[in-house]
Amino acid sequence: MRYTKKMITAAMSLMLICSSLMNVYAADSIQDIKLDKTATQLNEDDETTVQLKMSGNEEKTYSDVVFVLDKSTSVDVRNEAKKMLDELLVQANKGHIIQVGVVLFNKNATDSTSLALTKLTADNIDRMKKAIDQKLESGTNIYAGLKKGEAMLDADTQTSSNNKHLVLVTDGVTYLW
């Protein structure tokens, strides 16, 4: 009987230490974690039942995706970019926060041929697809498109750099600038 009480005391002490460590870890790295532990009274065999519960909020993923499209990009490739938008919308509908931007470039990349980072929703996906379908004339300056896309991603300080993506769509034929 003494051995059982010592084992219970040791087990309870270990659980208390573990739960303290978990609380410290949770406070430093994860918010909104709830811990609940209950124990029954010792029975006639000096045994108890301990129940531990842990719950928390699901963490949402924040991502930025900027499409940088050459003015001479073929219709087939543009359609593939729009399919990628549809796939991103599936993830957004699962609760992930996805912002999409579009940069269309020719001899330069301007605000008038760009769609700023915008949270992707079913209500605005058609506007994003129209931005991908824009037509421009004269010149191909890949560097200008890349710089505009990079600036768009850098401007968002809320999203981690690990979750920022630039998708360059070009035929690769460029002018030297």
Side-chain angles (χ1 to χ4, degrees), residues 107-121:
K107 61 184 173 187
N108 56 38
T110 65
D111 288 341
S112 66
T113 61
S114 299
L115 174 66
L117 278 174
T118 306
K119 183 178 174 183
L120 177 62
T121 66

Side-chain angles (χ1 to χ4, degrees), residues 69-73 78 104-106 135-140:
L69 295 114
D70 185 339
K71 59 96 181 158
S72 61
T73 302
R78 287 175 192 263
L104 191 66
F105 66 92
N106 55 7
K135 300 288 185 206
L136 295 178
E137 300 298 325
S138 88
T140 302

Side-chain angles (χ1 to χ4, degrees), residues 8 16 18 34 42 55 59 81 84 89 128 135-136 138-139 150 154 160-161 168 176:
I8 291 171
L16 182 62
C18 288
K34 295 178 182 102
L42 290 175
S55 63
E59 187 175 317
M84 186 176 179
L89 182 59
M128 293 175 185
K135 300 288 185 206
L136 295 178
S138 88
E150 178 185 38
D154 287 346
S160 164
S161 295
L168 174 64
L176 297 176

Side-chain angles (χ1 to χ4, degrees), residues 58 60 88-97:
E58 185 175 324
K60 292 184 179 182
L88 290 171
L89 182 59
V90 169
Q91 294 304 311
N93 288 335
K94 290 180 181 177
H96 302 286
I97 310 300

Side-chain angles (χ1 to χ4, degrees), residues 29-56:
S29 63
I30 302 173
Q31 300 298 318
D32 299 325
I33 290 184
K34 295 178 182 102
L35 298 174
D36 181 29
K37 52 192 173 288
T38 57
T40 62
Q41 294 293 327
L42 290 175
N43 64 19
E44 59 275 354
D45 295 326
D46 288 329
E47 296 175 344
T48 185
T49 301
V50 177
Q51 183 178 21
L52 299 174
K53 290 182 184 176
M54 181 186 244
S55 63

